[in-house]
Amino acid sequence: MTIASATPSREISMAGGLLVAGIVLATLTEAIASTVLSLGRGDIIGDTYATPDEFAWLDVGYTTFKLMGFMAASWLMSRFDPRNVIVSSTLAMGMACGIAAMTARLDLLVALRMIQGFSGGILLVGGQAVIFLAFARSRQPILQALFAMGSVVAPATIAPALQGWLLDSRSWTWIFFSVVPLALAAAGLLLIADRPMPARNVPRPFDWIGFSLISIALSCFTYVFSQGSRWDWFEEPRILWLSVIGTAAILAFFGQQMLAKGQGLFDFTLFGTEDFCFAFIVSFVAGAALFGSAFLIPSFAVSVLAFTPTDAGQLLLPSGALFIGALLIAAFLMQARRVPPVATVPFGILMIMGAMWMLSGSTIQSGADDMMAAILLRGAGLGFLFLSITLIAFSDLKSRNLAAGIGLFNTGRQLGGLVGVAALQTLIDHNLAHNLAVLGANVTAGAPSVAERLATSAAMLTAKGMDAAAASRGAASLLGRAAAGQSTVIAFDTAFNAVALLFVIAAPLLVGVKIGLSRLRKHV
């Protein structure tokens, strides 16, 4: 799309810089809000007196409405001025976070989380679409790298570090409070950036039936994937019924969209583009790797290595520098050296695989220094992977369906993340139970090594002042805790290997998909 301008190039550069800065700051508000529950879970449960089932709605509500925001953003941008849509969403995010910081009522927090999720989904799609539409395609590599710093790097590295520090030094309410000044600053920058906005497309009537059906499906699947492992999946009737309802709703949605004949919520023409089809599939796998590894590493640090929230949050922070460095290197290669975006995808995949394989050797004696090389390698791999698939997905889309494509792409990444985390959580739970059973069967009182361990522990406890009977019970308890700890380590190491194996399996499949799509396009 051509952007008309009558201002000097220097002013355009300044206005463009303010616009991009405002959008990046807006995405930072979503980064903080989206990850607030990862480390603050225990503190929020304690202050709200919520049961685990009640607390789950804080997460489910946010994610569901974020996915709904992805779906609604395209229509909102065609109906209203894109900058006003982003500013309104950013201010709504700041308002919802400010109120959330001042209340401990669970029902109000759930409603506020829904507002945060819907606003976050809209500002992510709207911000990225505006950057694509308001700037030349030749400048997109560096601009999309800057956008990724707020939308992908921040929630994966910077936000956990900030939240860990605030939890240890203040309280969870300060995490929400920190969003308010960012939202105000972002809105201010967007309002004073007088760069001409891309012209709006002719709005279509909003498809309320399609939106309702997809909202039901997304609500059901979000709950199933985020809570299924807690209930042993289909052993719990509610998980089974929600799966059935979600499946029926998504099938009804697709049927309704076909009958809508181009006037529905879903734009089927997006999948007429080979690159978008390929990138959408990769986004699902990449989402599983990003969210899955971001779940595993802090969880391992807290549950096995007994890290504090601050230490666990700071564990991923150094990888942010490698993440940003890889984004900028990839952007330079693509923008200055004209390297095709697909060229850096193999490097990203291999780096993430290598990092997960390295982490699979972690033990209960591991520390931050032992894990750092793998964490840094993971950051570099994500940087090379995410910029590539972003440019592959959107570079050839027309302005009329760009926002819809971005929304669908983000939906694929988010659903991939939900599936990845759910699969890893289930794998850890099942392996933990299996490992405990195996270790328990081999830790018998009659075994010489076990008897020696018990005797040594009992002697140590006796030397500290315990009587013989108490020391014997204490030694048995210490041995049980050691077995449980080792079972947990093995379970996490298996999960790290699973993420590496995901790419071992997915890589050849993705190559096959790419070849198949190319051949299909030649025959059409």
Side-chain angles (χ1 to χ4, degrees):
M1 176 175 293
T2 302
I3 305 297
S5 174
T7 56
S9 60
R10 191 170 186 177
E11 293 182 15
I12 291 176
S13 178
M14 182 178 296
L18 291 174
L19 178 65
V20 174
I23 290 173
V24 172
L25 277 182
T27 61
L28 286 176
T29 66
E30 197 282 328
I32 296 173
S34 66
T35 56
V36 66
L37 301 185
S38 58
L39 293 176
R41 186 176 302 272
D43 291 25
I44 298 175
I45 286 178
D47 287 347
T48 58
Y49 305 103
T51 65
D53 288 341
E54 293 170 336
F55 182 83
W57 288 106
L58 292 174
D59 199 7
V60 172
Y62 184 92
T63 304
T64 299
F65 275 75
K66 182 177 178 180
L67 291 168
M68 291 164 60
F70 289 156
M71 292 293 178
S74 175
W75 182 84
L76 288 171
M77 289 186 66
S78 69
R79 181 66 178 81
F80 304 101
D81 180 81
R83 176 164 39 198
N84 291 340
V85 170
I86 302 171
V87 170
S88 300
S89 299
T90 304
L91 291 175
M93 174 70 80
M95 179 196 68
C97 288
I99 298 174
M102 297 184 289
T103 183
R105 283 182 51 189
L106 186 64
D107 55 349
L108 180 56
L109 279 174
V110 171
L112 292 169
R113 290 294 286 170
M114 292 176 179
I115 296 173
Q116 293 167 14
F118 193 73
S119 301
I122 291 172
L123 69 86
L124 285 176
V125 175
Q128 192 166 25
V130 164
I131 290 176
F132 262 108
L133 293 172
F135 297 91
R137 294 297 171 104
S138 61
R139 299 172 62 186
Q140 289 303 317
I142 187 63
L143 293 173
Q144 292 303 320
L146 294 173
F147 180 83
M149 291 178 193
S151 62
V152 182
V153 178
T157 58
I158 300 172
L162 170 67
Q163 292 167 6
W165 175 72
L166 288 174
L167 285 170
D168 282 342
S169 63
R170 300 288 182 178
S171 71
W172 61 270
T173 60
W174 281 83
I175 300 175
F176 283 123
F177 267 132
S178 68
V179 174
V180 177
L182 283 175
L184 293 175
L189 288 173
L190 289 168
L191 289 173
I192 64 176
D194 58 354
R195 184 179 180 88
M197 287 290 102
R200 298 196 301 270
N201 296 315
V202 177
R204 295 181 296 178
F206 190 69
D207 182 10
W208 287 105
I209 296 176
F211 186 73
S212 300
L213 288 171
I214 195 63
S215 297
I216 293 171
L218 292 173
S219 301
C220 293
F221 290 139
T222 299
Y223 188 91
V224 168
F225 288 130
S226 61
Q227 302 299 314
S229 62
R230 288 183 56 233
W231 299 101
D232 200 18
W233 297 100
F234 296 131
E235 296 299 319
E236 169 62 33
R238 84 176 77 172
I239 299 297
L240 177 60
W241 279 110
L242 286 173
S243 300
V244 171
I245 294 170
T247 302
I250 197 71
L251 291 175
F253 171 74
F254 284 126
Q256 184 264 343
Q257 294 298 291
M258 291 179 182
L259 294 174
K261 297 180 179 179
Q263 296 300 310
L265 186 72
F266 195 84
D267 189 353
F268 285 100
T269 62
L270 288 166
F271 292 99
T273 305
E274 171 197 340
D275 286 341
F276 181 82
C277 291
F278 175 71
F280 177 77
I281 297 170
V282 176
S283 76
F284 191 88
V285 178
L290 173 66
F291 288 92
S293 58
F295 157 75
L296 282 178
I297 295 171
S299 297
F300 179 79
V302 171
S303 61
V304 176
L305 305 182
F307 278 29
T308 64
T310 298
D311 293 335
Q314 291 178 347
L315 188 60
L316 292 174
L317 186 58
S319 68
L322 270 292
F323 203 149
I324 292 171
L327 284 171
L328 295 177
I329 291 171
F332 171 77
L333 292 174
M334 296 170 198
Q335 188 164 316
R337 300 300 182 186
R338 307 299 181 189
V339 174
V342 73
T344 62
V345 172
F347 291 102
I349 290 176
L350 290 173
M351 287 180 179
I352 297 171
M353 285 173 55
M356 294 299 104
W357 178 77
M358 292 166 65
L359 287 171
S360 69
S362 300
T363 69
I364 203 168
Q365 285 82 33
S366 296
D369 293 339
D370 302 306
M371 303 170 66
M372 191 51 61
I375 292 172
L376 293 175
L377 187 63
R378 167 187 172 271
L382 290 172
F384 283 119
L385 182 61
F386 269 93
L387 183 60
S388 296
I389 60 175
T390 297
L391 295 175
I392 291 170
F394 309 136
S395 292
D396 292 334
L397 294 185
K398 305 298 182 183
S399 60
R400 62 180 177 81
N401 60 7
L402 180 64
I406 292 174
L408 192 59
F409 179 86
N410 280 281
T411 300
R413 187 179 69 184
Q414 191 75 38
L415 289 176
L418 285 173
V419 173
V421 172
L424 291 171
Q425 183 64 67
T426 303
L427 181 65
I428 290 171
D429 292 342
H430 287 183
N431 271 283
L432 181 58
H434 174 74
N435 296 337
L436 277 172
V438 172
L439 289 176
N442 287 277
V443 178
T444 57
S449 58
V450 174
E452 182 181 352
R453 174 72 176 264
L454 290 172
T456 302
S457 299
M460 178 188 68
L461 295 174
T462 302
K464 291 183 179 292
M466 280 189 178
D467 60 71
S472 178
R473 291 193 298 271
S477 177
L478 287 174
L479 183 60
R481 289 173 60 185
Q486 192 58 39
S487 298
T488 306
V489 170
I490 296 171
F492 270 97
D493 287 349
T494 303
F496 285 128
N497 267 323
V499 179
L501 288 173
L502 167 67
F503 283 107
V504 172
I505 297 170
L509 291 178
L510 292 174
V511 172
V513 167
K514 182 65 173 173
I515 294 172
L517 289 172
S518 298
R519 291 180 176 176
L520 182 63
R521 185 181 66 173
K522 292 177 180 178
H523 286 87
V524 174

